[in-house]
Amino acid sequence: MISPRHTRAAGRPPRVVVVSPPFHSHAQPLSVLAGALEKAGARVRFASAPSFAPMAAGVGVGFEPLTVTRNANTGVARSTRQGAREAERLEEFLGSTRKGAVAALLAQARHRGEDLLSDPERVMAELRALHERLAPDWYVVDQLSYPVTLALHCLGLPFATFCPGHPTYVPHRSDAFFGVPYAWPRAIRPAAGALAELRRAARANDVAFTERFAEVARAHDAPVDPPGRAFALTSRRAVVFNYPRFPWLPEHASTGAEFLYGGHCVPAAEPDPGEEWEAVVRRLRSAARRVVLIALGTFLSARSDVLDLLVRGVLSGVPDAAVVVAAGDSAPALARLSGPRVHVARVVPQRWLLRRVDVMVHHGGNNSFTECVASGTPALVLPFSSDQFSIAHDAERARLATCLDPSRPDPGEVGRAVRELLSRPPGGMSRWTRELRDLGPDWIAGRLLRAMGRRDDVGEPLPSCAGG
């Protein structure tokens, strides 16, 4: 445990370190939150892999180099420089997505230890050194950065948890396991035997992670409560869900923490990407009455076969629509599709485009889903892995999207689904876009500052505490 070296003087802005794993889809919302905390009066530093330093500069906060996992994704997963084993796991995962939902989730379960808890001792040493150097008042940590959460717990340092995905990433009861969707969209119904196999793999991971957490805590003689169930270890002060508070979501057991459903992490103002993108939108609008954005995220853009099918489905099924495709490393292979009604790009300014397109086709990632709701953009969702099935279920139940199974793609079905979304927007969109209007990063920042400041707002030394 680290004893506090400082007393926070009354009126001094809190010093906060926001820790992100080296994944673009995680660093993006966390950097937006870091900027919102700075704007709300904190003094913030963003800690992540060196390649994410520009994100910190973009939101006006300081940067600290800190790599919490060997896995990485700086924007397009396949072209990110990483070790041979990490690249091998990525290719195995991409291959599994061709076999359906449970195959993809089982591949992720096999990789979980290497992906999410590869070197907790090194992370703890680096965090200890960072804390001795910067002496922040508290931290914000990505919930999937398990070695960081474990280190902060063992060192007795105050932190808030940021859940970057579906709220059930934090298990809500003893028989709920990380990596098993709490619900499925109508188009995807795995067989009972396959689901039983997935639950066995997830339960084994739950036991292994929990044993590893306890082993690390014992090795460091941490004078705090045992970490307990690894996947459920979160802050006892504040847990932020980057997600809407749908009424059917499972309730989490009370730990004394405030559960903050922030809705989204879309900034109030989006930087203009420049005249080049303005010209792209003008050109497509001159060729077609509607524009559809297709983006499957920074990992799944490698599924060029699905991207190709989606483009063909929209073009044939909706004759008055044009398409923007975020193709990642698949861009060269899909360049043949480019034309008056199709723009293929390696990366796209997604949040900016969502205010200028009519429909988005995406994979059910948390960022894409919440950004669509915040902007009022109807969506066609094709979930492949992770929490995407749970998100697709919620999108469907909230009447925000239509969902299809990407393991059985059909161009005609895609065209019909997009055509229906264009002619009859989902019935829940206006309600939930309105619900999210007063939430977002500024709301989260204000609530976090209050929740985390309760115990030190009168200049008292920050107490040591178990689990944040």
Side-chain angles (χ1 to χ4, degrees):
M1 179 177 295
I2 296 178
S3 298
R5 294 188 308 145
H6 66 282
T7 297
R8 181 175 159 201
R12 173 176 71 73
R15 293 191 288 259
V16 182
V17 174
V18 177
V19 183
S20 173
F23 306 122
H24 186 273
S25 58
H26 294 237
Q28 185 179 60
L30 276 166
S31 67
V32 171
L33 178 56
L37 284 166
E38 180 84 17
K39 186 171 69 172
R43 295 296 171 262
V44 183
R45 297 191 75 80
F46 186 70
S48 190
S51 55
F52 290 95
M55 277 194 181
V59 296
V61 303
F63 181 77
E64 286 293 323
L66 178 70
T67 301
V68 300
T69 175
R70 289 191 295 267
N71 244 13
N73 176 2
T74 58
V76 178
R78 262 184 168 166
S79 60
T80 299
R81 292 187 61 185
Q82 51 193 332
R85 177 58 185 148
E86 286 71 33
E88 180 185 331
R89 291 202 307 275
L90 174 59
E91 293 306 316
E92 183 183 342
F93 162 69
L94 291 171
S96 74
T97 64
R98 301 173 186 278
K99 302 172 186 175
V102 173
L105 291 168
L106 282 170
Q108 291 181 303
R110 288 193 298 273
H111 300 162
R112 197 131 280 149
E114 290 178 278
D115 285 347
L116 299 181
L117 195 62
S118 58
D119 196 355
E121 288 84 359
R122 176 190 58 78
V123 172
M124 188 176 300
E126 292 193 14
L127 270 172
R128 184 190 296 272
L130 182 149
H131 191 81
E132 290 295 326
R133 188 172 71 256
L134 299 179
D137 296 295
W138 44 276
Y139 295 80
V140 178
V141 58
D142 186 297
Q143 183 249 346
L144 296 190
S145 292
Y146 294 106
V148 179
T149 296
L150 177 59
L152 292 171
H153 171 86
C154 290
L155 296 171
L157 297 173
F159 67 94
T161 297
F162 180 88
C163 182
H166 194 272
T168 53
Y169 262 174
V170 179
H172 55 284
R173 60 177 190 240
S174 60
D175 62 345
F177 297 104
F178 183 90
V180 179
Y182 93 107
W184 298 84
R186 287 190 295 268
I188 301 174
R189 287 288 187 268
L195 281 177
E197 182 183 4
L198 176 61
R199 286 185 63 81
R200 285 193 295 271
R203 184 182 293 109
N205 272 333
D206 195 280
V207 171
F209 265 61
T210 297
E211 289 176 349
R212 182 69 172 124
F213 268 37
E215 175 188 319
V216 172
R218 285 194 301 268
H220 288 269
D221 197 24
V224 292
D225 294 340
R229 189 179 180 193
F231 289 112
L233 181 62
T234 57
S235 170
R236 292 184 183 176
R237 295 188 175 200
V239 179
V240 175
F241 296 112
N242 185 32
Y243 207 73
R245 181 64 178 100
F246 294 123
W248 56 82
L249 290 174
E251 293 290 340
H252 288 86
S254 174
T255 62
E258 286 195 45
F259 294 118
L260 307 175
Y261 284 81
H264 64 89
C265 260
V266 177
E270 190 65 33
D272 192 320
E275 173 56 29
E276 179 182 354
W277 276 103
E278 295 278 6
V280 167
V281 173
R282 284 197 302 270
R283 175 173 63 81
L284 295 177
R285 286 287 180 192
S286 69
R289 194 165 63 92
R290 308 298 191 106
V291 178
V292 176
L293 171 61
I294 298 175
L296 300 181
T298 55
F299 284 95
L300 292 162
S301 61
R303 288 296 307 271
S304 59
D305 56 325
V306 177
L307 288 173
D308 181 283
L309 180 146
L310 292 172
V311 173
R312 289 188 288 108
V314 172
L315 293 180
S316 61
V318 193
D320 64 343
V323 179
V324 178
V325 190
D329 284 341
S330 299
L334 297 178
R336 55 186 167 72
L337 299 174
S338 297
R341 293 171 59 201
V342 180
H343 181 79
V344 178
R346 188 170 179 272
V347 295
V348 304
Q350 179 168 304
R351 292 189 306 230
W352 181 86
L353 279 170
L354 281 174
R355 302 286 182 180
R356 291 158 177 81
V357 302
D358 301 286
V359 164
M360 182 177 181
V361 182
H362 65 78
H363 59 305
N366 181 283
N367 291 339
S368 293
F369 169 62
T370 56
E371 289 166 10
C372 279
V373 181
S375 63
T377 307
L380 172 61
V381 181
L382 292 87
F384 289 78
S385 64
S386 308
D387 60 339
Q388 295 160 20
F389 307 104
S390 296
I391 291 172
H393 163 272
D394 290 347
E396 196 172 62
R397 184 166 178 177
R399 297 188 301 148
L400 294 167
T402 300
C403 302
L404 296 177
D405 184 351
S407 68
R408 294 179 299 181
D410 176 82
E413 195 174 20
V414 168
R416 286 190 295 275
V418 172
R419 190 166 63 245
E420 176 69 16
L421 287 166
L422 288 168
S423 63
R424 189 181 305 166
M429 186 61 73
S430 60
R431 174 196 169 179
W432 287 105
T433 299
R434 187 170 59 251
E435 293 265 353
L436 266 58
R437 191 167 294 144
D438 295 328
L439 300 176
D442 293 338
W443 181 91
I444 296 170
R447 293 294 295 269
L448 265 185
L449 286 170
R450 287 197 291 274
M452 298 301 293
R454 285 198 187 119
R455 304 184 196 185
D456 67 324
D457 57 4
V458 292
E460 297 286 329
L462 288 168
S464 299
C465 62

